[in-house]
Amino acid sequence: MGKKSRVKTQKSGTGATAVVSPKEMMNLISELLQKCSSAAPSAGKEWEEYVQIRALVEKIRKKQKGVSVVFEGSREDYFPELMSWAAECGASCDGFEISSFADEGYGLKATRDIKAEELFLWIPRKMLMTVESAKNSVLGPLYSQDRILQAMGNVTLALHLLCERANPASPWLPYIKTLPSDYDTPLYFEEEEVHHLLATQAIQDVLSQYKNTARQYAYFYKVIHTHPNASKLPLKDAFTFDDYRWAVSSVMTRQNQIPTEDGSRVTLALIPLWDMCNHTNGLITTGYNLEDDRCECVALQDYKENEQIYIFYGTRSNAEFVIHNGFFFEDNAHDRVKIKLGVSKSERLYAMKAEVLARAGIPASSIFALHCSEPPISAQLLAFLRVFCMTEEELKDYLVGDHAINKIFTLGNTEFPVSWENEIKLWTFLETRATLLLKTYKTTSEEDRSILQKPDLSLHSRVAVKLRLAEKEILERAVSSGRNKRLHFQKQLEEGSPLPLYEESDIALLENADAKLPIILRKLDEEDEHAAEAEAHNALLESAQTPPPPLPLLLNGQSKEEVNGNLEEEEEEDGGKRLQATAKGKEEASSQREEPSSQRTEDASKDKGE
């Protein structure tokens, strides 16, 4: 998962000194911090603020040119050292090697046949860079005093990474030297490349990501140069914006959650060697073995000698892949457009609708998704829309009618419509809603396809346009599906077709079928958890001046706004790569499963043509 180093870098620990006085630089940093800490811009002014912040950052970058701690050569020069270090630490090094895979960049290649579910890779804790190892490092004194570091593990890891990179005696140098010299996250996009994302669901997160990174950098620049507990950090003479952007992207694309040594809680970690694996569709095959205190990975499928070994990063949308991993995955079976829908409190039937939804375990306002697959809506969204479109009589039937309690279980079941009229209304609503959302884009799908044919389109622009087009294609499928369903149910109504009758015995079927409403309750809990995490992240962003943690496990959901009326639309962050951790041994944790989360970049497209 990575690309070749394309930049001639200076020797570690050396660098030209920029011609700028400390006072001048501190004034620029203070200006940047003030700009990034000001009140959120009014609606429609976010882009203008981004341009202003970016101009300040570029001014600082220009004055800092040549001041970073870097390494000679390219990252592939250090792969043998990484493998030797891994072997010395007790990691598995047989059966695979690091290799280049054209458009996908670096990854792991099988050097022998590997069977599906075969344990082929394990990484002991001593190799991992974690929040705990940061506390025990030169960063420890500052960590003990700084509330932002204590609150944001990803920020701690970023500074830990920079401190170890600047330390010639760091035990993690064999790993750090093999990290990409730069990334394809939006933090590295040019202004005109980011412009392609305007009107997409990703744009708010992209702008916030840049603002929060700039704010963090300015804050820690001042801390490093003024805080007594930062006096021994090896960053005082070499802490540039480019350094921090690199560290943030390294952590954002690679961080995972693993259990602490006693298994009592989770901590963030970077997992060397394993994070070279690229993504494909499949299932989670990585876990954490507490008994042996190591990260373990089994093969996702059979691999022949010389084939690339993949892992599954999790059910992430392409917006999440682009924002947090820096790539667009063409064959993404889990791509989706997030929407937030809610019943208006001013509506006359609000109380009744809210009560029916509550009995189904669904809030009156919640985050849902339109999927790239057919049907485009999930069981929980079907249930919500049915209640949203109910008449007063239909609401009464589900509240106090015969078998009212049991009928709640049919709301997410396609086999039991509330009425033909209700089905017509909900599919008409979906068709109309998706059509309106399509009109918010500045270009059509056809125009995007034409843009993608241009040979001189930059890599980042191509990724942005692909993402924009993917969102539209999901909405277009929703429009088509809504139209077809509407016409189908209109025909049922016109022909006087009888509604399928709910039988008391059907409840057993409903409880055991994946697509039925009982599943809604579980899935919606996940959505609510994602939304709650998003709110927590946003609150922390404002108070701690830091960007949202790059999707730690089970903390899913960076919300995003959009078009509304009665309804608002949001996109949320997923939980990154979901990695089940096997907690073998360790007393009560002996048969328990922990789940580390991971997001790593498939610097895939980075190598193309370079």
Side-chain angles (χ1 to χ4, degrees):
M1 166 207 291
K3 62 172 185 184
K4 299 175 182 177
S5 176
R6 303 189 297 264
V7 183
K8 274 285 184 182
T9 54
Q10 299 160 323
K11 188 173 182 180
S12 179
T14 67
T17 303
V19 185
V20 56
S21 69
K23 182 177 180 180
E24 180 185 359
M25 180 56 68
M26 189 62 77
N27 287 339
L28 286 172
I29 294 296
S30 297
E31 185 180 355
L32 178 62
L33 182 59
Q34 181 178 7
K35 181 64 180 176
C36 293
S37 303
S38 58
S42 56
K45 297 291 186 180
E46 296 90 351
W47 178 259
E48 180 180 329
E49 179 191 56
Y50 167 75
V51 172
Q52 293 171 355
I53 292 173
R54 188 180 182 101
L56 262 176
V57 167
E58 291 303 314
K59 190 173 182 180
I60 291 171
R61 289 184 66 223
K62 185 176 180 180
K63 293 182 179 296
Q64 292 176 335
K65 191 172 182 180
V67 184
S68 297
V69 173
V70 289
F71 302 106
E72 285 183 335
S74 57
R75 55 186 300 221
E76 59 263 36
D77 296 337
Y78 298 101
F79 288 154
E81 184 181 347
L82 172 63
M83 297 297 287
S84 297
W85 173 64
E88 291 171 6
C89 291
S92 58
C93 296
D94 297 327
F96 62 86
E97 64 185 13
I98 302 173
S99 185
S100 180
F101 292 93
D103 292 349
E104 291 181 281
Y106 291 108
L108 295 187
K109 182 177 73 175
T111 55
R112 60 173 174 82
D113 290 355
I114 299 176
K115 294 295 184 182
E117 299 186 6
E118 176 185 342
L119 176 61
F120 74 96
L121 176 61
W122 57 87
I123 307 294
R125 185 181 295 271
K126 67 171 71 173
M127 288 179 63
L128 312 185
M129 295 187 73
T130 67
V131 172
E132 275 57 44
S133 66
K135 294 178 189 178
N136 296 322
S137 73
V138 68
L139 193 61
L142 180 60
Y143 180 93
S144 67
Q145 296 293 317
D146 190 90
R147 291 192 300 169
I148 294 180
L149 291 178
Q150 294 167 10
M152 307 297 284
N154 58 318
V155 174
T156 299
L157 272 183
L159 289 180
H160 185 28
L161 187 60
L162 285 174
C163 288
E164 296 305 318
R165 187 182 70 163
N167 176 13
S170 171
W172 290 288
L173 276 186
Y175 168 59
I176 297 172
K177 290 176 181 178
T178 63
L179 291 174
S181 58
D182 54 28
Y183 292 88
D184 286 331
T185 62
L187 290 175
Y188 284 83
F189 282 25
E190 297 296 332
E191 185 177 315
E192 59 269 22
E193 294 170 335
V194 177
H195 197 271
H196 287 297
L197 292 171
L198 287 177
T200 67
Q201 287 198 351
I203 188 60
Q204 290 301 326
D205 273 353
V206 168
L207 301 185
S208 294
Q209 183 186 69
Y210 192 91
K211 178 180 180 179
N212 292 327
T213 300
R215 180 168 56 188
Q216 287 177 344
Y217 170 70
Y219 169 81
F220 282 107
Y221 184 95
K222 299 189 81 167
V223 167
I224 287 170
H225 285 83
T226 60
H227 199 291
N229 284 353
S231 60
K232 294 184 179 180
L233 295 183
L235 303 178
K236 207 159 194 175
D237 298 324
F239 182 59
T240 66
F241 179 83
D242 283 358
D243 289 332
Y244 191 68
R245 177 177 64 172
W246 171 83
V248 165
S249 292
S250 295
V251 171
M252 179 167 59
T253 58
R254 283 166 160 75
Q255 72 171 5
N256 301 265
Q257 281 193 331
I258 64 165
T260 52
E261 284 194 70
D262 61 4
S264 63
R265 56 189 177 83
V266 294
T267 186
L268 290 180
L270 299 178
I271 306 178
L273 191 58
W274 173 80
D275 65 9
M276 292 297 300
C277 293
N278 287 319
H279 167 77
T280 193
N281 290 318
L283 299 172
I284 296 163
T285 56
T286 303
Y288 200 90
N289 183 331
L290 276 173
E291 184 177 22
D292 295 328
D293 203 17
R294 66 188 191 184
C295 180
E296 297 181 342
C297 184
V298 300
L300 181 62
Q301 61 192 49
D302 289 342
Y303 292 108
K304 297 293 185 183
E305 184 179 354
N306 295 323
E307 287 185 341
Q308 183 176 180
I309 301 171
Y310 292 96
I311 62 173
F312 177 57
Y313 288 12
T315 56
R316 307 193 68 193
S317 69
N318 269 321
E320 291 160 341
F321 276 137
V322 169
I323 295 167
H324 300 285
N325 296 77
F327 68 87
F328 180 93
F329 187 56
E330 298 283 355
D331 188 28
N332 190 353
H334 305 283
D335 205 8
R336 58 194 176 273
V337 171
K338 290 289 182 179
I339 58 175
K340 182 177 181 181
L341 305 177
V343 182
S344 173
K345 291 185 178 180
S346 63
E347 183 183 338
R348 183 176 66 85
L349 298 177
Y350 172 79
M352 296 177 72
K353 290 182 178 181
E355 177 61 25
V356 175
L357 288 169
R359 292 185 184 186
I362 304 174
S365 176
S366 189
I367 299 171
F368 303 96
L370 296 177
H371 297 271
C372 62
S373 55
E374 184 61 36
I377 67 174
S378 60
Q380 67 266 29
L381 180 51
L382 174 60
F384 175 87
L385 290 175
R386 280 177 169 171
V387 177
F388 184 80
C389 295
M390 280 183 183
T391 64
E392 186 170 0
E393 289 304 313
E394 289 167 343
L395 289 166
K396 287 179 180 178
D397 188 42
Y398 277 76
L399 287 170
V400 297
D402 294 340
H403 309 298
I405 294 178
N406 287 339
K407 286 176 72 173
I408 291 293
F409 286 88
T410 68
L411 283 172
N413 187 343
T414 57
E415 299 173 12
F416 294 98
V418 173
S419 66
W420 299 134
E421 292 86 353
N422 181 268
E423 292 294 306
I424 293 169
K425 286 168 64 177
L426 78 87
W427 290 108
T428 299
F429 170 81
L430 183 67
E431 178 186 0
T432 303
R433 176 70 171 164
T435 300
L436 289 173
L437 290 174
L438 280 168
K439 292 181 178 178
T440 64
Y441 293 91
K442 306 300 182 184
T443 58
T444 64
S445 296
E446 291 71 23
E447 289 171 334
D448 284 347
R449 294 187 186 99
S450 295
I451 293 172
L452 290 172
Q453 297 303 313
K454 296 180 179 179
D456 59 342
L457 193 65
S458 71
L459 168 63
H460 295 160
S461 292
R462 188 171 300 278
V463 166
V465 175
K466 281 184 176 181
L467 177 59
R468 189 172 71 195
L469 176 59
E471 287 187 4
K472 293 173 191 171
E473 289 175 340
I474 291 173
L475 292 172
E476 288 166 351
R477 277 191 286 270
V479 170
S480 177
S481 180
R483 181 186 306 113
N484 292 337
K485 293 284 189 181
R486 169 174 57 81
L487 294 174
H488 168 73
F489 289 113
Q490 282 177 344
K491 183 178 180 182
Q492 296 290 93
L493 179 62
E494 291 166 0
E495 294 178 351
S497 301
L499 280 172
L501 295 177
Y502 167 74
E503 299 285 346
E504 194 71 34
S505 59
D506 287 332
I507 193 65
L509 169 67
L510 297 176
E511 289 175 338
N512 294 318
D514 286 345
K516 310 308 185 263
L517 187 62
I519 302 303
I520 292 175
L521 307 183
R522 184 184 72 241
K523 288 186 177 180
L524 196 63
D525 283 344
E526 296 173 359
E527 296 287 353
D528 292 340
E529 181 182 42
H530 301 175
E533 184 61 23
E535 293 177 7
H537 285 170
N538 290 338
L540 195 52
L541 292 181
E542 294 305 318
S543 62
Q545 302 181 356
T546 55
L551 320 179
L553 177 67
L554 299 182
L555 305 181
N556 311 332
Q558 159 129 5
S559 58
K560 234 188 242 160
E561 71 225 326
E562 62 357 311
V563 191
N564 46 68
N566 257 355
L567 312 168
E568 301 167 342
E569 180 178 302
E570 288 193 3
E571 176 183 288
E572 68 171 357
E573 292 179 355
D574 195 300
K577 289 191 290 272
R578 302 292 187 89
L579 308 174
Q580 290 181 332
T582 310
K584 296 191 293 186
K586 289 286 183 181
E587 301 162 11
E588 69 278 358
S590 61
S591 61
Q592 191 163 356
R593 292 267 245 202
E594 304 287 347
E595 289 187 62
S597 133
S598 104
Q599 313 129 337
R600 298 173 309 269
T601 223
E602 170 193 75
D603 294 47
S605 45
K606 296 182 182 178
D607 279 323
K608 189 171 184 179
E610 296 171 324

